[in-house]
């Protein structure tokens, strides 16, 4: 036995305490330790029952994800689970914190389960591109029935102890020290003469309409295969004897382990945690954050204020006029009403947030005590500089001065103050109280503790914060501009916007770029095209057909017409028949003979444009690591999580293939398709983007 399991004896009960911080993942050593400890308990004279408990903050968080992709070492988890269940001793699991994946599977192999009221259980393997692989799909439905098991496995959600008790996953919920309540339960069971109760020997769950369930889950997964695969595993639990069902589960699990989706999902899991872990911030203390100011209560300002209020911060919001103040307050209240309706906050909390925690004013002096200000006024350098000048005059020393600008130069904004070290970009995404991404834009003179404060605000608001450098559009919008352009080029050359949207939804995006443009408002792109027209490179290809629609006052969803036509009260739109004519006219003017694009061509060009620009963003140090780009696209731009992000996608496809495609496209448009130096370098050296992530972690 090793030091991962502490073995103690309490009369006729042997206690096996798992000690593998931080979350008792089932590493090889833990599996070996548990197996040995079961042997010891069975050989220990007088022992009649075994109690399994976890040390620290969780029972067991699951299999050790860091071991995935490496050759598996015995004892394998399914074998260990069977071994625990088959023990002649009475086995009890006492659970606290989380019991997830393999952790719950170990508990399901015990004969009785007791948990703390605060405990949560779940089988979240689908979030890693997998299904439960140690009997979870076979044992859970025997306790809960097929429907509840499928819901729990395909959603991967954490189920609270009370609900788990009702579902039959737990036998008892008792508050107290997990070991003490577990021991009491085990002793009570022994005193009652309770029998071993292996779940595998319980009757199988009755059949449901498996094919209909499979189809529904597949559709909901938007291209993700693991949830639908889980349905087949639960079906096996219902139709096959236990041992055969277990084998079927194992086969499906092993197949998924070999997929790109599993690689992508696990990359996302670790990157999500690594993204805010910046070496430059080690030992740097963030400044205190209790009250924040927000300048401008439009779409973004109201969203940012809502997020801050929900996180328990005091918010002082400044608008230009009394009517704008009232409108801003109305927007924030509307957002908070949403939280109230969804049961996220109580009426009492709603009242407190809107009356005590929120101050709205036209007077900048109201900002004198705040710890950080986020400016969210119009996207105009002169307006921003004027605001920062005012902030410099009223804000206390040490107050962080942040701009939510989408594209403007944060270094230039900082020149409007006498304290550029306190100035930073905090780029939220719309709707700011919903979207998870926050770009923390570090300007030349930004002080390290101001950067740390940006990250601590992101954490307090529950955001995924990504460090970005200053450039036009920072990480996300800069890359977006490039792949959007690739889509525009494909339209000029013969693909329809509708085919492009469909192909990209097929790839896994929540929406295609043209549907997104309709949602955001076509006027934004129209204004940007006008603004940039003066400095345009002669070889740059920019379609103008959509400007004609804008000239007629059609700006997408908000006006009912854009690339798509929208009917009131209906979700989504239908392709606008005007678009084909407008495109054909422009093609004729440009002398372009339209050609066919397959869905695969479309995805390939779109992704190559994205990866190429992303490689430039990393090469220039705007993003420090490829994983920063991946998390930006995942949390801000609806990139399918199961690909892990564009850089991970490129690694999976092969960087040499991506570069070869780019070089091929460059034959027709060398100006747009200039390969990123970093991409060329990595291909020449036979390295991947993930190698750069690993080097940065050292
Ligand atoms: N394996 C290895 N490391 C793990 C892990 C796991 N299963 N779960 C968490 N960790 C690590 C994290 O990477 C992190 O490491 P770091 O400190 O070096 O960054 C550390 O533990 C703490 O994790 P969090 O920062 O996420 O801590 P939280 O308290 O926010 O969350 C948690 C804890 C809810 C357990 C969350 O980490 C989580 O959801 N973990 C994944 C759980 C999971 O997916 N389990 C299923 C695994 S697959 C499986 O069991 C297959 C089986 O069916 C055969
Ligand atoms: P908006 O037009 O909805 O709101 C701007 C608000 O600022 C208006 O209510 C206006 O009255 C107020 N305002 C203007 N000047 C002011 C001043 N001097 N003092 C106080 N208030 C003033 O604009 P939106 O969309 O909220 O954008 C704000 C900023 O956020 C812009 O810089 C924009 O680029 C950026 N942004 C916008 C996103 C979006 O999707 N809308 C996403 C991310 C960033």
């Amino acid at each position: 036995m090793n030091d991962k399991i502490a073995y103690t004896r309490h009369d006729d009960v042997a206690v096996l305490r798992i000690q593998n911080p931080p979350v008792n993942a089932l590493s090889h050593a833990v599996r070996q330790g548990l197996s040995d400890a079961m042997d010891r308990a069975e050989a220990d004279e007088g022992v009649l029952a075994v109690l399994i408990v976890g040390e620290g903050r969780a029972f067991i968080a699951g299999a050790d994800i860091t071991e995935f992709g490496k050759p598996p070492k015995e004892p394998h988890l399914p074998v260990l689970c069977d071994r625990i269940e088959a023990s002649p001793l009475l086995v009890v699991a006492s659970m606290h914190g989380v019991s997830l994946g393999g952790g719950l599977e170990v508990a399901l192999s015990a004969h009785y389960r007791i948990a703390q009221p605060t405990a949560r259980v779940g089988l979240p393997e689908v979030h890693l591109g997998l299904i439960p692989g140690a009997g979870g799909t076979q044992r859970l439905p025997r306790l809960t029935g097929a429907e509840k098991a499928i819901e729990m496995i395909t959603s991967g959600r954490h189920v609270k102890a009370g609900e788990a008790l009702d579902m039959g996953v737990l036998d008892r919920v008792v508050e107290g020290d997990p070991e003490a309540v577990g021991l009491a339960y085990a002793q009570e069971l022994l005193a009652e003469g309770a029998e071993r109760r292996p779940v595998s020997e319980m009757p199988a769950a009755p059949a449901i309409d498996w094919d209909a369930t499979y189809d529904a889950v597949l559709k909901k997964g938007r291209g993700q295969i693991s949830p639908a695969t889980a349905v087949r595993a639960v079906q096996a639990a219902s139709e096959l004897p236990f041992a055969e069902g277990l084998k079927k589960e194992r086969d499906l699990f092993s197949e998924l382990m070999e997929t790109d989706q599993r690689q992508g999902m696990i990359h996302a899991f670790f990157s999500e945690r690594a993204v805010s872990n910046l070496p430059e911030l080690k030992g740097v203390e963030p400044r205190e954050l209790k009250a924040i100011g927000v300048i401008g209560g439009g779409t973004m300002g109201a969203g940012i204020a809502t997020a801050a209020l929900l996180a328990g911060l005091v918010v002082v919001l400044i608008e230009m006029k009394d009517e704008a103040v009232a409108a801003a307050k109305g927007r924030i209240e509307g957002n908070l009403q949403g939280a109230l309706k969804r049961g996220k906050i109580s009426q009492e909390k709603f009242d407190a947030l809107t009356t005590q925690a929120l101050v709205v004013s036209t007077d900048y002096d109201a900002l004198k005590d705040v710890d950080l200000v986020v400016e969210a006024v119009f996207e105009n350098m002169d307006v921003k500089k004027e605001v920062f000048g005012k902030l410099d005059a009223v804000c206390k020393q040490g107050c962080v001065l942040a701009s939510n600008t989408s594209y403007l130069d944060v270094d230039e904004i900082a020149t409007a103050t006498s304290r550029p070290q306190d100035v930073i970009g905090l780029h939220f995404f719309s709707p700011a109280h919903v979207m998870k991404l926050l770009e923390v834009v570090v300007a030349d003179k930004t002080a390290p503790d101001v950067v740390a404060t940006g990250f601590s605000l992101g954490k307090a608001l529950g955001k995924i914060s990504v460090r970005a450098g200053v450039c036009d559009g920072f990480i996300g919008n800069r890359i977006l501009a490039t792949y959007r352009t690739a889509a525009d080029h494909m339209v000029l050359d013969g693909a329809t916007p509708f085919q492009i949207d469909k192909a990209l939804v097929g790839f896994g995006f929540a929406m295609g770029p043209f549907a997104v443009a309709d949602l955001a408002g076509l006027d934004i792109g129209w204004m940007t095209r006008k603004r940039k027209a003066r400095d345009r490179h002669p070889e740059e290809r920019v379609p103008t057909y959509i400007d004609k629609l804008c000239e007629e006052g059609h700006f997408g969803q908000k006006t009912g017409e854009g690339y798509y036509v929208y009917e009131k009260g209906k979700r989504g739109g239908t392709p606008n028949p005007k678009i084909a004519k407008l495109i054909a006219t422009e093609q004729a003017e440009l002398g372009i003979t339209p050609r066919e694009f397959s869905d695969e061509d479309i995805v390939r060009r779109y992704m190559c444009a994205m990866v190429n620009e992303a490689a430039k963003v990393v090469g220039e140090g705007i993003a420090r690591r490829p994983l920063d780009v991946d998390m930006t696209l995942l949390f801000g731009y609806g990139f399918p999580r199961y690909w892990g992000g564009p850089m991970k996608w490129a690694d999976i496809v092969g960087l040499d293939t991506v570069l070869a495609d780019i070089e091929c496209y460059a034959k027709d448009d060398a100006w747009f398709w200039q390969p990123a130096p970093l991409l060329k370098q990595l291909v020449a050296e036979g390295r991947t983007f993930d190698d750069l992530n690993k080097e940065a972690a050292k």
Side-chain angles (χ1 to χ4, degrees):
M1 225 170 66
N2 55 43
D3 63 358
K4 295 293 178 191
I5 310 294
Y7 183 98
T8 49
R9 171 108 187 238
H10 299 258
D11 301 325
D12 41 12
V13 183
V15 176
L16 278 45
R17 177 177 275 270
I18 306 163
Q19 28 195 34
N20 188 27
V23 289
N24 292 330
L26 290 158
S27 63
H28 172 247
V30 172
R31 298 195 302 276
Q32 187 65 60
L34 269 175
S35 181
D36 294 348
M38 287 301 296
D39 290 346
R40 176 166 166 190
E42 285 166 14
D44 200 346
E45 218 179 302
V47 166
L48 299 175
V50 169
L51 172 68
I52 306 176
V53 288
E55 174 137 336
R57 60 177 153 124
F59 176 66
I60 305 171
D64 186 339
I65 302 170
T66 59
E67 291 181 358
F68 289 177
K70 298 178 189 162
K73 281 206 249 168
E74 289 182 5
H76 300 147
L77 192 56
V79 176
L80 173 66
C81 287
D82 289 351
R83 192 252 170 279
I84 291 172
E85 192 187 58
S87 174
L89 304 174
L90 195 78
V91 186
V92 177
S94 180
M95 299 137 82
H96 75 288
V98 290
S99 306
L100 299 175
L104 180 56
E105 290 173 307
V106 167
L108 292 174
S109 310
H111 304 137
Y112 295 89
R113 285 161 291 283
I114 180 169
Q116 297 295 303
T118 50
R120 285 173 295 138
V121 304
L123 293 171
E125 285 86 345
V126 292
H127 296 312
L128 304 172
L130 294 167
I131 60 169
T137 65
Q138 306 302 299
R139 289 191 177 93
L140 186 66
R142 285 178 154 80
L143 291 171
T144 65
E147 265 149 359
K148 284 187 182 143
I150 286 175
E151 188 280 324
M152 197 168 145
I153 297 169
T154 58
S155 70
R157 77 185 168 99
H158 294 189
V159 178
K160 288 185 186 143
E163 190 187 346
L165 183 70
D166 294 343
M167 284 169 77
V169 180
L170 300 175
D171 298 299
R172 236 181 230 196
V173 175
V174 179
E175 191 166 3
D177 171 61
E179 181 169 327
V181 299
L183 262 175
Y185 187 37
Q187 273 152 355
E188 186 187 317
L189 287 165
L190 288 176
E192 283 171 358
E195 306 239 334
R196 289 169 62 258
R197 202 190 46 174
V199 177
S200 65
E201 291 172 14
M202 294 179 184
I208 57 168
D209 187 341
W210 302 110
D211 290 347
T213 309
Y214 177 87
D215 290 344
V217 171
L218 191 64
K219 191 160 173 240
K220 199 166 167 218
R222 269 209 231 116
Q224 201 197 338
I225 50 174
S226 54
T229 308
V231 174
R232 293 299 183 212
V234 175
Q235 181 177 358
S238 172
E239 294 176 349
L240 302 174
F242 184 80
E244 280 175 46
L246 208 56
K247 186 176 173 308
K248 176 80 182 169
E249 176 196 79
R250 197 69 205 156
D251 290 346
L252 293 171
F253 178 86
S254 305
E255 277 170 28
L256 289 171
M257 194 57 118
E258 298 307 314
T259 58
D260 295 341
Q261 292 200 359
R262 193 274 301 164
Q263 269 198 61
M265 296 289 268
I266 287 182
H267 173 74
F269 177 85
F270 284 115
S271 300
E272 205 177 310
R273 284 158 178 78
V275 73
S276 54
N277 191 355
L278 296 188
E280 72 195 63
L281 294 185
K282 274 219 172 92
V284 180
E285 278 296 311
R287 296 183 188 173
E288 189 184 32
L289 282 179
K290 281 198 179 130
I292 73 159
V294 177
I295 317 297
T299 313
M300 292 308 290
I304 295 165
T306 308
L309 287 168
L310 288 171
L313 293 165
V314 169
V315 175
V316 181
L317 186 133
I318 304 293
E319 257 293 351
M320 287 198 287
K321 295 187 194 129
D322 289 341
E323 308 86 80
V325 165
K329 193 156 193 285
R331 268 182 217 112
I332 296 169
E333 284 175 356
N335 292 341
L336 291 173
Q337 285 282 0
L340 180 66
K341 261 193 216 146
R342 272 175 275 117
K344 280 197 161 179
I345 51 170
S346 63
Q347 182 66 47
E348 237 181 344
K349 181 94 184 168
F350 175 89
D351 295 341
L353 291 183
T354 47
T355 52
Q356 294 153 25
L358 174 66
V359 178
V360 282
S361 174
T362 52
D363 183 1
Y364 274 67
D365 279 343
L367 295 167
K368 63 182 176 14
D369 294 326
V370 300
D371 305 302
L372 177 148
V373 182
V374 186
E375 163 279 308
V377 303
F378 304 131
E379 184 77 344
N380 174 300
M381 184 55 91
D382 293 337
V383 179
K384 304 248 185 220
K385 278 184 161 172
E386 194 195 322
V387 168
F388 272 76
K390 284 189 195 163
L391 295 178
D392 193 27
V394 299
C395 292
K396 67 181 182 190
Q397 281 309 306
C399 174
V400 173
L401 307 180
S403 173
N404 181 48
T405 178
S406 307
Y407 291 95
L408 299 175
D409 183 344
V410 183
D411 287 310
E412 190 178 341
I413 294 174
T415 61
T417 73
S418 62
R419 33 175 141 168
Q421 73 281 0
D422 294 338
V423 177
I424 192 163
L426 290 178
H427 184 216
F428 290 84
F429 287 70
S430 180
H433 57 298
V434 177
M435 292 292 287
K436 291 275 273 180
L437 182 65
L438 174 66
E439 279 182 302
V440 178
V441 184
V442 181
D444 274 355
K445 296 195 173 132
T446 311
D449 64 340
V450 171
V451 182
T453 311
F455 275 91
S456 83
L457 177 68
K459 192 166 179 202
L461 304 188
K463 306 285 181 207
I464 300 286
S465 307
V466 179
R467 184 202 188 282
V470 175
C471 70
D472 193 7
F474 317 122
I475 299 177
N477 282 348
R478 173 170 159 183
I479 297 171
L480 164 73
T482 305
Y483 64 80
R484 251 317 298 253
T485 303
D488 283 339
H489 290 176
M490 287 190 270
V491 171
L492 283 180
D493 293 335
T496 69
F498 318 113
Q499 190 198 356
I500 293 176
D501 277 356
K502 199 175 126 275
L504 291 162
V505 168
F507 177 75
F509 277 96
M511 287 167 94
F514 298 99
V516 170
D518 269 0
L519 185 66
L522 298 180
D523 44 332
I524 300 179
W526 187 34
M527 281 184 325
T528 312
R529 280 191 293 282
K530 282 197 225 170
R531 178 165 56 85
K532 290 192 167 171
R534 265 169 283 137
D535 310 321
R536 197 164 285 150
H537 191 279
E539 286 182 59
E540 199 177 333
R541 301 174 71 208
V542 182
T544 56
Y545 69 92
I546 199 67
D547 295 352
K548 311 247 168 25
L549 213 62
C550 294
E551 282 157 18
E552 289 174 12
H554 302 305
F555 298 138
Q557 270 199 32
K558 60 187 168 191
T559 61
E561 186 176 335
Y563 288 100
Y564 298 83
V565 180
Y566 301 89
E567 258 180 69
K568 267 222 165 81
K570 269 199 176 169
R571 275 190 94 198
T574 48
N576 186 347
K578 287 184 197 165
I579 293 286
K581 269 191 221 142
L582 290 172
I583 296 171
T585 307
E586 185 163 2
Q587 285 167 335
E589 281 165 13
L590 296 169
I592 295 171
T593 311
R595 62 186 173 86
E596 292 262 315
F597 282 83
S598 68
D599 287 1
E600 204 191 334
D601 286 340
I602 290 171
V603 168
R604 210 43 181 249
R605 280 185 182 251
Y606 196 74
M607 286 307 302
C608 282
M610 193 184 298
V611 170
N612 200 35
E613 190 64 26
K616 290 176 189 172
V617 161
V618 175
E620 291 167 23
I622 299 297
R624 287 274 166 88
R625 304 159 293 187
L627 70 85
D628 293 323
V629 172
D630 284 338
M631 295 305 99
T632 303
L633 270 291
L634 235 59
F635 289 103
Y637 298 83
F639 192 91
R641 188 180 173 93
Y642 55 76
W643 280 114
M647 309 307 254
K648 186 66 189 173
W649 174 87
D651 276 350
I652 290 171
V653 167
L655 297 191
D656 48 352
T657 312
V658 172
L659 179 61
D661 282 352
I662 291 170
E663 283 168 344
C664 176
Y665 305 147
K667 287 183 194 145
D668 291 331
D669 184 352
W671 190 82
F672 180 73
W673 291 105
Q674 296 175 42
L678 178 66
L679 183 60
K680 284 169 111 177
Q681 184 193 334
L682 289 175
V683 170
E685 293 168 358
R687 292 195 301 155
T688 63
F689 287 126
D690 219 21
D691 289 335
L692 299 182
N693 290 328
K694 289 194 185 110
E695 280 161 27
K698 275 180 197 159

